[in-house]
Amino acid sequence: MIEIWPGDPYPLGATYDGAGTNFALFTEAADRVELCLFDEDGKESRVPFTECEGFIWHGYLPGVGPGQRYGYRVHGPYDPARGLRCNPHKLLLDPYAKAIEGGVTWNKALYDGDMPNLEDSAPFMPRSIVINPFFGWGHDRPPATPYHDTVIYEAHVRGLTIANPKIPERIRGSYAALGHPEIIDHLTKLGVTALELMPVHQFVTDQHLEEKGLTNYWGYNTSGYFAPHNRYSSQGQRGGQVLEFKAMVRNLHEAGIEVILDVVYNHTAEGNHLGPTLGLKGIDNPTYYRLVDGDPQHYMDTTGTGNSLFMRSPQVLQMIMDSLRYWVMEMHVDGFRFDLAATLARELHEVDRLSAFFDLVQQDPVLSQVKLIAEPWDVGPGGYQVGNFPARWTEWNGKYRDTIRDLWRGEPATLPEFGSRFTGSGDLYQSDSRRPVASVNFVTCHDGFTLHDLVSYNEKHNEANGEDNRDGTDDNRSWDAGTEALREQQKRNFLTTLFLSQGVPMLSHGDELGRTQQGNNNGYCQDNELTWVDWSDVRNKWLLLEFTQRLAKLRREHPVFRRRRFNYDMAWLTPSGEEMTVADWNVGYAKSLAVYLNGKAITEPDRRGRPIVDDSFLVLFNAHHDTIRFTIPKDYGEMWLTEIDTAMPIMLDTRVKRAGERLQVPGRSMRVLRGV
C-alpha cells in the first residue's frame, strides 16, 4: 500500500521538496478524488485523497520524486444538463502539471455523451510528470529591454530550426536549437531584442486533423498551462523539456534577447460538449468553462474553438495568474502575447477593458513588470478592440498591418491613415496617455501570407489543408507584383516602412529570407517544408537578409525612429517639398508624400536624463506606379545623403543631395535621406 500523508492545499499541482511530493487539486464538483500513479510498465496504482480544504483535495507522498507519472480520477455527478461531467473512468491531466509525457491517442474512450462512457481512457491519455524544480541559473538576468528599443521576432520553435543544416541534427526543431549559437547569431545580426515564440504550452492535435494526416502545427490548442510542449524537447519527455527550455532562455538572455510567449488562456483542447475529456471538463466543468445561460450542457464560444474559459471564476483567474507567474519566476520568460485577448476581458457578454483579469495583472508585482502584448480581438460580438486595452499593455496593431498593405498595393485614399500609422497611431493610443510603443507594428505574422507571398499572390491557395480552400481569411490585401524584381522591391518597401515607423516593429520568422508557403495563408496544420524556414540557399537570399540587417542597424543607431512620446518635431510634405494641407491629404488618388523627422529637437531625455540629439531624416514614399520627382525642401537642411533606396538592394548612390534639388524616386519605392 502506498503511504500518504495529509500534505498541504497549497501550492496546487505536484510539488517536489527533495524528500517527497505534495499533490493538490481544486474541484468543487467532486465527491472523491483519486491520485493515479504509473510505473515504468504503465501499471496504475490509485491513491484516494482523504484531505479536502476549500474544495482542494491534497496529499503528500514521501519518496515520490521527479519523473513520477501521474493523473487524476474525479468521482462526482455526471449531469450535463447541469453542466457537471465527472466520470472516474476518465484519467485526467493535472491542470498544474509542470511537465507532460506523451500525447493523446484518439479513441472513443476519451469521449462522453448524454450518459457517462464507462470505458477507461487511461491507455489513450498522456501522463502528468513530477519535475525537479532545481536548475542552475547562474547569473541569469532579464535583459529588460525598453519597449522603444525593442525589435520583436515572431517564431515557431520547430519551424525556425528544423531545416537549419548548421544546427546538429539531433537537436533541430527543439528548444536547444533555439538556444544554439547559429540561431542566436542570426537574430543578433537582425537587431532582434525579443523572440516571441508561438505556443509552447503543452498542446494537442485535434482528432479530425490526425485523421487527415495533418497536425496542429501552430499549437493554439492548449492542454497544459504550466508544461513546455514535450515534442520540442531533444532530451526526452520525463521532465527533460523543462531543463531544456530553461537552458534555452539562459542562452538567449546571455545574448541580450528576451523571450516572450504566445499564450492561449482563452480556451482549451477539450472543445465543446462533443469534445474529449482530458482535464478541466472532468475535474470541474462549470467552474472552468463559460456555459450557456439556461443551457449549461453547451459552451459559450467566443474563440471559434468550441469553448471559452470562464473569466468570472476565481479559480480560472487564479490558474491563469499562477501560470503566468510560474513562467516568469521559474522559467525566466520576459513577457507574454495573449491570443484572442478580447476573450480574457469578457466577464458577462461585452468586452470590458477593466475586467478582473486586467485588474489582477495591473496590481501584480511580478506580472505588471513584464511585457504584456494583446491580440486585441476575438470572434465574439464586439470583439475587435484595437486601441482599447489598458495602460502598460501593448497591442498587435491590425490597423497598421492593413493600412501599410493598402498603401503599397496602390489602394486610393490611404494617405491620412498611413500618416497616423507611421507615426505611432496616436489616434488609437494618445488620448489615454499611452505612448507610441503601445503599437506593435507588423506587416505579416504567422497568421496569413508570408512577406514573399504577400507580394506574389492575389488569392490564397490553401488546398493542402483539406478544406477546399474555404479556410483562412479572404481579406489579404495582397498584390502579385508580377516580376521577381518588383516583388523584391515591394518586400524592401514593407520592411523599410516597418523598421522606420514609430512603435515596436515585429518581424515574422523567415521573412528576411524570403520564406514562402506557396500562397497558403493558414498554415496551422502544416508541419512540413511548406511552413518551415528554408535555410538551404541563404547565400542566394543574402541581398534581402543584408538589407534587413541594414534597416535594423539604422533604427538601432538613430533614436529619431524610436521616439517614446507623441510630441514629434516633424513635417509632412508633398513631392514638391511644400507642407501638406488638408486638401493634399484628401486627394484620393495621391500615393506619394514625404516626411521630415527632426533629430535635433527630440524633447524626451535618455535614461540618464540627458537630452537626445540625433541626425534629421527625410523619408520619401512613392507608392505610385510611375517615377515621381521629389523636391528636397529648403527649410529643413542643406545637404542630405541617401541611407536607404528600396529601388536598389545594394546602396550605390553616395552623392550628396542639396536643398532645392529634384530627386527622381522610381515607382513603388522609398528613399531615406539623412541630413549631414
Side-chain angles (χ1 to χ4, degrees):
M1 184 174 178
I2 298 175
E3 184 179 11
I4 181 170
W5 300 351
D8 298 302
Y10 187 84
L12 292 168
T15 306
Y16 174 66
D17 63 6
T21 301
N22 189 82
F23 295 87
L25 177 74
F26 174 90
T27 167
E28 191 172 348
D31 300 326
R32 185 160 58 94
V33 172
E34 292 177 305
L35 171 67
C36 306
L37 304 179
F38 295 87
D39 64 15
E40 296 291 339
D41 298 322
K43 180 181 178 183
E44 178 182 353
S45 300
R46 302 186 186 183
V47 183
F49 281 151
T50 58
E51 301 292 327
C52 181
E53 300 175 46
F55 303 112
I56 298 176
W57 297 76
H58 57 89
Y60 180 90
L61 274 63
V64 169
Q68 175 64 57
R69 303 172 176 92
Y70 73 99
Y72 288 108
R73 296 183 187 270
V74 173
H75 298 252
Y78 188 89
D79 187 356
R82 293 193 293 139
L84 298 169
R85 296 179 178 271
C86 299
N87 181 355
H89 298 280
K90 305 301 163 226
L91 182 72
L92 304 173
L93 289 169
D94 181 0
Y96 279 69
K98 305 302 190 303
I100 293 173
E101 182 181 64
V104 174
T105 301
W106 293 110
N107 184 277
K108 64 183 188 318
L110 297 166
Y111 296 89
D112 284 309
D114 294 334
M115 299 293 291
N117 181 348
L118 303 186
E119 292 184 72
D120 185 11
S121 70
F124 312 103
M125 280 290 292
R127 308 288 191 249
S128 305
I129 302 291
V130 177
I131 70 159
N132 188 337
F134 307 110
F135 179 76
W137 282 106
H139 299 291
D140 181 71
R141 295 179 61 188
T145 306
Y147 263 124
H148 63 278
D149 291 332
T150 296
V151 175
I152 298 174
Y153 188 87
E154 187 200 27
H156 189 282
V157 173
R158 182 170 166 83
L160 179 62
T161 64
I162 189 66
N164 191 317
K166 294 184 178 180
I167 294 176
E169 187 172 357
R170 64 179 180 81
I171 67 168
R172 291 176 197 167
S174 71
Y175 303 119
L178 272 185
H180 189 274
E182 280 295 329
I183 296 297
I184 290 177
D185 182 61
H186 180 76
L187 297 175
T188 302
K189 288 179 178 177
L190 283 173
V192 170
T193 69
L195 185 61
E196 183 178 305
L197 297 180
M198 291 174 66
V200 297
H201 289 170
Q202 187 70 37
F203 62 84
V204 171
T205 288
D206 318 71
Q207 182 172 3
H208 76 275
L209 288 177
E210 280 200 7
E211 289 173 349
K212 291 193 291 186
L214 302 171
T215 185
N216 192 320
Y217 173 65
W218 284 355
Y220 293 94
N221 206 31
T222 308
S223 58
Y225 288 118
F226 295 76
H229 189 58
N230 53 36
R231 191 168 178 239
Y232 298 156
S233 173
S234 64
Q235 297 187 15
Q237 298 186 8
R238 286 187 72 177
Q241 61 265 46
V242 179
L243 298 177
E244 188 170 333
F245 185 93
K246 290 179 177 180
M248 172 200 75
V249 172
R250 185 178 59 192
N251 290 349
L252 288 164
H253 280 182
E254 286 178 0
I257 299 173
E258 295 179 302
V259 178
I260 297 172
L261 303 187
D262 191 340
V263 290
V264 192
Y265 293 114
N266 51 70
H267 74 280
T268 75
E270 292 187 294
N272 61 16
H273 64 289
L274 300 176
T277 298
L278 307 176
L280 300 179
K281 183 180 287 188
I283 292 170
D284 194 335
N285 189 57
T287 287
Y288 286 105
Y289 291 114
R290 190 173 174 196
L291 307 179
V292 175
D293 291 338
D295 184 18
Q297 178 179 350
H298 296 100
Y299 295 81
M300 288 289 292
D301 179 14
T302 59
T303 64
T305 60
N307 64 57
S308 303
L309 286 179
F310 187 30
M311 298 307 297
R312 291 176 62 197
S313 165
Q315 282 69 41
V316 169
L317 291 171
Q318 179 186 350
M319 178 180 70
I320 294 174
M321 296 297 287
D322 286 349
S323 169
L324 291 169
R325 277 191 293 263
Y326 173 78
W327 286 96
V328 174
M329 299 176 70
E330 298 297 327
M331 307 294 269
H332 286 209
V333 305
D334 305 282
F336 305 93
R337 178 265 189 189
F338 292 83
D339 177 64
L340 301 180
T343 292
L344 301 176
R346 292 180 184 273
E347 290 193 336
L348 293 171
H349 177 75
E350 68 286 350
V351 175
D352 177 7
R353 64 176 289 174
L354 298 178
S355 70
F357 171 72
F358 296 114
D359 290 341
L360 286 172
V361 170
Q362 190 73 15
Q363 59 79 43
D364 189 276
V366 174
L367 301 180
S368 62
Q369 302 306 306
V370 302
K371 286 184 167 66
L372 303 168
I373 304 171
E375 181 188 33
W377 49 78
D378 65 14
V379 300
Y384 193 78
Q385 293 291 314
V386 173
N388 290 334
F389 278 74
R392 298 191 64 83
W393 282 70
T394 60
E395 301 175 14
W396 270 27
N397 191 342
K399 293 185 177 182
Y400 178 94
R401 171 199 59 204
D402 294 346
T403 301
I404 305 308
R405 289 185 177 193
D406 279 349
L407 175 81
W408 287 114
R409 70 182 176 133
E411 285 295 291
T414 58
L415 293 189
E417 188 163 3
F418 169 74
S420 178
R421 301 295 156 251
F422 184 76
T423 54
S425 296
D427 59 323
L428 300 177
Y429 306 115
Q430 191 171 10
S431 63
D432 58 358
S433 80
R434 299 168 79 186
R435 296 191 170 186
V437 293
S439 177
V440 174
N441 300 327
F442 66 105
V443 175
T444 61
C445 63
H446 69 273
D447 189 2
F449 280 146
T450 66
L451 183 61
H452 177 84
D453 293 354
L454 183 66
V455 301
S456 304
Y457 294 91
N458 293 324
E459 307 289 342
K460 66 186 182 185
H461 293 278
N462 297 359
E463 291 81 6
N465 296 354
E467 300 180 42
D468 297 323
N469 207 34
R470 294 190 303 268
D471 62 304
T473 183
D474 293 315
D475 183 21
N476 294 294
R477 305 185 187 218
S478 61
W479 177 61
D480 179 1
T483 66
E484 286 306 311
L486 186 51
R487 287 170 181 156
E488 292 302 312
Q489 187 166 304
Q490 285 284 74
K491 292 179 195 177
R492 294 191 291 271
N493 289 333
F494 280 121
L495 290 168
T496 303
T497 306
L498 176 66
F499 273 91
L500 301 190
S501 296
Q502 303 296 336
V504 180
M506 184 181 78
L507 191 64
S508 180
H509 69 308
D511 275 352
E512 73 280 8
L513 297 171
R515 185 173 77 89
T516 178
Q517 292 181 175
Q518 307 300 322
N520 191 319
N521 74 351
N522 191 31
Y524 78 103
C525 58
Q526 301 291 337
D527 184 5
N528 50 51
E529 289 85 355
L530 186 71
T531 53
W532 299 342
V533 174
D534 179 8
W535 299 88
S536 61
D537 58 349
V538 171
R539 284 179 298 180
N540 294 333
K541 303 168 182 173
W542 73 270
L543 281 177
L544 184 62
L545 178 59
E546 190 274 340
F547 185 85
T548 311
Q549 293 170 345
R550 190 149 44 95
L551 283 172
K553 183 173 182 288
L554 182 67
R555 186 180 189 277
R556 182 172 62 250
E557 292 179 349
H558 293 284
V560 74
F561 301 118
R562 298 180 279 109
R563 301 293 295 270
R564 288 179 286 159
R565 299 174 185 170
F566 277 111
N567 55 337
Y568 311 139
D569 186 346
M570 57 170 291
W572 287 102
L573 309 168
T574 66
S576 62
E578 303 295 329
E579 287 204 23
M580 296 271 286
T581 65
V582 173
D584 292 325
W585 282 109
N586 291 310
V587 175
Y589 59 81
K591 300 174 184 176
S592 305
L593 77 172
V595 62
Y596 166 74
L597 303 171
N598 188 354
K600 305 295 189 293
I602 301 178
T603 56
E604 66 252 28
D606 66 12
R607 300 184 75 178
R608 297 183 181 181
R610 300 171 300 190
I612 298 173
V613 178
D614 193 12
D615 297 323
S616 296
F617 284 83
L618 191 63
V619 186
L620 315 178
F621 299 90
N622 181 17
H624 185 57
H625 68 272
D626 206 352
T627 298
I628 295 287
R629 298 183 74 181
F630 282 76
T631 299
I632 299 177
K634 295 182 178 180
D635 298 333
Y636 301 106
E638 286 298 319
M639 294 186 292
W640 301 85
L641 278 176
T642 298
E643 289 284 345
I644 298 288
D645 182 355
T646 64
M648 304 291 295
I650 301 175
M651 182 51 57
L652 299 175
D653 187 356
T654 59
R655 185 174 60 87
V656 173
K657 312 296 187 298
R658 297 185 180 276
E661 185 176 335
R662 302 189 74 182
L663 189 63
Q664 294 200 54
V665 178
R668 297 192 175 96
S669 74
M670 289 177 64
R671 184 77 72 97
V672 181
L673 305 176
R674 178 175 57 84
V676 293

